Amino acid sequence: MKGVGNAKAALLASLGIYTVRDLVEHFPRRYEDRSQIKKISQLTDGNVESCRGTVLKVTANKTRRLTLTKIIIQDDSGRAELVFFNQPYLKTKYKVNMEVMVYGKVQTKFFPVQIMNPEIEILDEAGMPCAGTILPVYPANEAVSQRWLRNLIRQSLDFALQQPLESLPASLLLQYELLERKEALLQVHFPDNWEVLKKARERLAFEELYLLQCGLLYAKNAVKKDVLGIKHASDGSLVAQFEQRLPFQLTQGQRQALLEIKADMEEPLPMQRMVQGDVGSGKTVVAAIALVKTVENGYQGAMMVPTEILAEQHYQTLAAQLEDLGIKVALLTGSLAKGKRKELLQALQTGCVDIVLGTHALIQEDVCFHKLGLVITDEQHRFGVRQRAKLQAKGMMPDVLVMTATPIPRTMALTVYGDLDVSSIRQLPPGRKPIKTFVRGSDRRQLVYKFIADEIAKGRQAYIVCPLVDESEKIQAQSATQLYAELQETYFRHITCGLVHGKMKNLEKDEMMRRFYEGSIKVLIATTVIEVGVNVPNATIMVIEGAERFGLAQLHQLRGRIGRGEHQSYCILLSDNPNPESQERLQVMTNTSDGFALAEQDLLLRGPGHFFGEQQHGLPDLKIADIVNDLDLLLKARRAAYETVMQTDEFEKVRPYIAERFYHHFDQIFQC
């Protein structure tokens, strides 16, 4: 492309732009209405506004802590001072008498008027950065100017619009009144007016969501297409006996989830279902009933969980409940002795074991089943799609059930888990005491530790969660190792404390968690590795240091480690962050215990990129669609995708575009 040599190509690469297609699909992050440019004297305090003027003076003054750069501009109505922090290079970039366009937040309480850290664009001889009154503002960096990027994108569009670009069937364009792709691309970059810009964005966002949904629905159907799974019979005496023996009544949510699971299992097509339920909503008992159903039909069941101690806990619970019914339950983890492992693998292969619980050890190559009928993965967000598929491949198209205690907003579920049917368990079992949640500053830490000591004297236990493993010069936050050392020497010198973090070996972590579970450790200082932990009914206190550093969904997950027994539980969120938004977010935790409501709030506040934290399994990168605000569009796109996938000929037409746009998301489908 004209004007792009090696150096410029490297700058574009830093923005993820390598090809003409990347340029064409580098969409504006916002638009500036050039028809609303104001005189400097008309600027309004507190508003983000545009003005233009001539550079009068540029200064850069260095203090001990920062460099303050000021650019004075003027028009025929007055002057404005543009203020920048730690950007000394601006002094050489902007010269006296340059004509500039300025966009930023106005403060009129100063004289002259101040605009803090504004965006500046140098105007050309004609006094315009580009044609049109609605100016696109792109994701960029200091080395890539908006003006150069705009010119390059215009050049790339001149080339691209000469090629055949349409990716949607003509029938869809007509049915949903969508712009053609060429028109949409031109108008999204250089719109004629706001109305056509809205239509252009809708068309491109619809296309992106439609292609994604086509891929997800195809993946869902590909598992079932031309493949007969296991058709389980209706419930018999074994399931009825097990359900009658339960010492409690199932909630409405549990009963509904079970109806959906049983209906799937009784179909000849393989089940692909996810059960999402709040922490403590009773997903495990639903899984147990499904496992009994598969055993009653002459098959084996397998359940994979992320940690050894969790596998052990599930094993103890299920073995106690099922062995009276003649169901043989086994445990397979990495720490199993060689001889016992060999015996267990043989028992699995010959069908002597009905249900096996385990960790990743279940998907090792030498693990073979006699007749696998149901595969369950717990805490789904801790396992990748491939791990789930590996366990499923141990049988001849067994039914698949995945469970997650991270409630997922509807848009996220459709986008990330669109290849699964979703059941939700929203209510908690009756009799659970609500966890009392408080937000406190670190000045109350001493009182918090005294409260913990008093609870431990009553026989209770406590978690203290820190955002960091070790101290950091860059991040001001409490570290687990430092706090553990301090507490053992001071407030808790007569109390047994434990330390758990992600840098420890799995065996060490499991041993520490086991001691906490058994009660020999009274206070467990940890990082978020305990987010997926064990059921310790005696733990009644959860203190979270630097709580503002966590998302609401994660805070709720951590809070779910307590409140599992008969005693009142307390969650204390420690935060010194004065930011009103951070404080408002933490207050939400004190007012609601509904994980689904918190998940929706978290998605709105933090956006989809942060929702799963570091465990972003399966979240596709969307270039223009917004899964928070485009729900209506997503539902339309899903309906359209469903119609397309049902017609093989129509799907084959869009298949290349799905592969092109979402290859990495569907690499197992598009292996060609």
Side-chain angles (χ1 to χ4, degrees), residues 157-191:
L157 277 170
D158 289 343
F159 169 77
L161 296 182
Q162 294 170 34
Q163 320 302 320
L165 289 180
E166 192 52 69
S167 57
L168 296 182
S171 56
L172 275 190
L173 298 180
L174 203 62
Q175 185 180 347
Y176 292 97
E177 299 177 342
L178 300 170
L179 293 181
E180 289 188 3
R181 194 166 201 267
K182 286 185 179 182
E183 179 68 5
L185 284 169
L186 184 60
Q187 292 295 336
V188 86
H189 287 289
F190 303 107

Side-chain angles (χ1 to χ4, degrees), residues 358-376:
T359 55
H360 293 78
L362 285 173
I363 57 177
Q364 288 173 356
E365 278 185 30
D366 59 349
V367 178
C368 298
F369 289 83
H370 174 64
K371 204 176 177 186
L372 185 60
L374 175 65
V375 164
I376 300 176

Side-chain angles (χ1 to χ4, degrees), residues 470-542:
D470 300 307
E471 274 192 279
S472 165
E473 290 179 12
K474 295 178 183 175
I475 303 170
Q476 289 300 305
Q478 184 66 267
S479 78
T481 48
Q482 179 195 13
L483 187 63
Y484 172 74
E486 279 177 19
L487 290 176
Q488 280 285 259
E489 288 174 17
T490 54
Y491 299 101
F492 299 154
R493 59 181 171 274
H494 302 305
I495 295 170
T496 316
C497 296
L499 174 67
V500 173
H501 56 72
K503 290 185 179 178
M504 292 166 72
K505 290 178 180 170
N506 284 339
L507 283 175
E508 289 177 286
K509 273 190 290 192
D510 284 348
E511 178 55 30
M512 198 63 74
M513 291 299 292
R514 187 172 285 103
R515 287 174 60 200
F516 185 65
Y517 170 57
E518 289 164 355
S520 60
I521 286 174
K522 302 299 181 189
V523 179
L524 189 67
I525 295 127
T527 57
T528 55
V529 292
I530 60 137
E531 189 183 345
V532 176
V534 288
N535 188 11
V536 184
N538 196 42
T540 57
I541 300 176
M542 168 66 68

